[in-house]
Amino acid sequence: MRIAIIGAGCSGLVAIKYLVEAGLKDIVCYEKSDQIGGNWVYTATSSHSSICRTTHTISSKSMSQFSDFPMPDDYPDYPSHQQILAYFQAYTRHFQLEEYIRFNVTVQHVEKIENERWRLSLSDGTLSEYDYLVIANGHLEIPRHPDWKDNFSGKYLHAHNYKTNQGIENQRVLVVGAGNSGCDCAVEASRDVACVDMSLRSPQYIIPKLIMGKPTDTFAASLQWLPQSIQNWLQKISLRIQIGHYRDYGLPEPDFSPTQAHPTINSEIFNKIRHGKIRPRPGIQAISGQTVHFNNGSSQEYDVIIAATGYKISFPFFEANFIDWEDAAHISLYLRIFHPDHPSLFFIGLIQPQGCLWTLAETQSQLVGQLLSGKIQLPSDWRKQASCEGMYWTKQFITRPRHSLEVHYYSYLKLLRQNIKSKLST
């Protein structure tokens, strides 16, 4: 049984670890760069990584560590990108994962061949065939650009390419989007530029990193024993006590529950707004030259636009007509892992959780390892369930492109664990 893994970021690393732990040894993980870490490898220039110089986690240390490899005691509640990369490097050394990784090798093309097998064309000019293929290349690499991008005559950046304020000091900046990337960009830019405006097309829950003295995700974890309606009410009450009304900051008030959209976790944005360093603006109606016209009839000239407008789901190694989810409203995968048309293909980390991604990828990998080692089996109707599951997750969240991969952290984790435990006990 030969297994290929594409990507040695956090998802690829846990895939290696749990496949090896399940007794599977003929594994090759292809990594196009010269080191592990994926998106957490910071570079000052444009690269595959989307983090900027000051990025910290938005999930807390206690909720982001692997089940059998705790983070160092001296790590803060919200580690920096340097600390997270060091943690992944230590994880790789501890479990001796590097022997399975081929660095500086890009998977250029993947073709499905007979008997549900896979042929990989590699950047070193070789071909290699495998019985199973694990996709762990992430989903934060190919920017989704707005339609008006080419109408702006000033400097345009996608958040993916925003690293530092070098080159935009003392300029007028508009950040488009108030998700986690948008708020991070606006806060960081406000330290050095002349002014920062932030355009919001729709309401957004922006939540402080600490609630009642606890990291936000640990506070949410403490409520899991309550019915969802009670959780939502308590979350709204705690937000009201801590920050007041969103309209007090010039932000639109959400008319949906906190769990119906991916939250933005950021504490600094509120202080920056109230100190006049960041000014919220409505959605964009049109752009002409360097003038941006907003939906409320106002307009403003800017030197720089930073578009925090999300990413496309992309698999550049597949033919476009093989799997194309760039504009998909929902993704039909059983347990967000198994493709109904390709039973030897697995996706690890192709999720957008309301919590830490790599702890869920860890459990996904454990499930795949148990399956391939013959300890568990998928249910007979798993293909049918894949379609139903895609529709189910779509209905849990308001309709936005960013929610095609969204899952509720705890209910999804429980579902994965149930599939492992129930099969192992039979």
Side-chain angles (χ1 to χ4, degrees), residues 33 89 122 130 229 233 316 344 415 426:
S33 71
Q89 291 168 339
L122 307 172
Y130 294 90
S229 59
W233 181 79
S344 58
L415 188 62
T426 56

Side-chain angles (χ1 to χ4, degrees), residues 49-52 143-145 156-163 175-176 180-182 185 305-311:
S49 175
S50 63
I51 60 173
C52 69
R144 185 184 296 276
H145 296 285
Y156 171 89
L157 290 171
H158 190 276
H160 179 76
N161 304 116
Y162 172 72
K163 304 295 182 178
V175 176
V176 180
N180 287 292
S181 295
C185 291
I305 288 182
I306 302 173
T309 47
Y311 296 83

Side-chain angles (χ1 to χ4, degrees), residues 232-370:
N232 290 340
W233 181 79
L234 286 173
Q235 288 171 344
K236 286 183 177 181
I237 290 297
S238 66
L239 283 171
R240 182 66 54 81
I241 292 172
Q242 191 149 349
I243 66 171
H245 293 278
Y246 285 101
R247 60 176 175 267
D248 296 336
Y249 302 85
L251 299 167
E253 291 282 353
D255 56 358
F256 47 87
S257 72
T259 56
Q260 284 184 287
H262 193 75
T264 297
I265 311 298
N266 195 298
S267 295
E268 289 187 86
I269 193 74
F270 299 107
N271 289 332
K272 292 290 186 179
I273 291 173
R274 297 300 280 267
H275 283 80
K277 299 295 185 181
I278 297 172
R279 180 173 56 169
R281 303 297 296 260
I284 294 173
Q285 183 180 63
I287 293 180
S288 177
Q290 290 186 226
T291 302
V292 177
H293 301 274
F294 296 101
N295 288 332
N296 65 353
S298 65
S299 62
Q300 181 70 46
E301 287 194 357
Y302 297 97
D303 304 301
V304 180
I305 288 182
I306 302 173
T309 47
Y311 296 83
K312 297 178 180 179
I313 304 171
S314 176
F315 310 108
F317 37 79
F318 286 142
E319 293 290 343
N321 60 357
F322 185 72
I323 294 178
D324 181 8
W325 291 329
E326 281 193 7
D327 300 308
H330 67 275
I331 307 297
S332 293
L333 292 174
Y334 178 60
L335 297 178
R336 295 293 202 184
I337 302 171
F338 306 101
H339 196 293
D341 297 329
H342 311 292
S344 58
L345 176 66
F346 314 121
F347 294 89
I348 300 296
L350 190 65
I351 47 176
Q352 183 74 27
Q354 298 182 339
C356 182
L357 185 150
W358 55 80
T359 53
L360 293 180
E362 178 185 32
T363 310
Q364 288 180 326
S365 299
Q366 184 182 10
L367 179 60
V368 172
Q370 297 296 329

Side-chain angles (χ1 to χ4, degrees), residues 168-273:
I168 64 171
E169 302 95 330
N170 302 315
Q171 299 196 33
R172 299 163 297 179
V173 175
L174 175 66
V175 176
V176 180
N180 287 292
S181 295
C183 285
D184 282 349
C185 291
V187 168
E188 183 60 19
S190 71
R191 306 185 199 284
D192 297 304
V193 304
C195 67
V196 179
D197 288 357
M198 185 172 68
S199 171
L200 291 80
R201 185 171 55 182
S202 55
Q204 175 72 42
Y205 275 103
I206 303 176
I207 301 173
K209 282 193 165 184
L210 297 174
I211 294 182
M212 298 180 68
K214 293 183 178 181
T216 296
D217 52 6
T218 61
F219 174 79
S222 69
L223 305 178
Q224 290 306 303
W225 61 278
L226 294 169
Q228 189 62 59
S229 59
I230 302 298
Q231 291 183 47
N232 290 340
W233 181 79
L234 286 173
Q235 288 171 344
K236 286 183 177 181
I237 290 297
S238 66
L239 283 171
R240 182 66 54 81
I241 292 172
Q242 191 149 349
I243 66 171
H245 293 278
Y246 285 101
R247 60 176 175 267
D248 296 336
Y249 302 85
L251 299 167
E253 291 282 353
D255 56 358
F256 47 87
S257 72
T259 56
Q260 284 184 287
H262 193 75
T264 297
I265 311 298
N266 195 298
S267 295
E268 289 187 86
I269 193 74
F270 299 107
N271 289 332
K272 292 290 186 179
I273 291 173

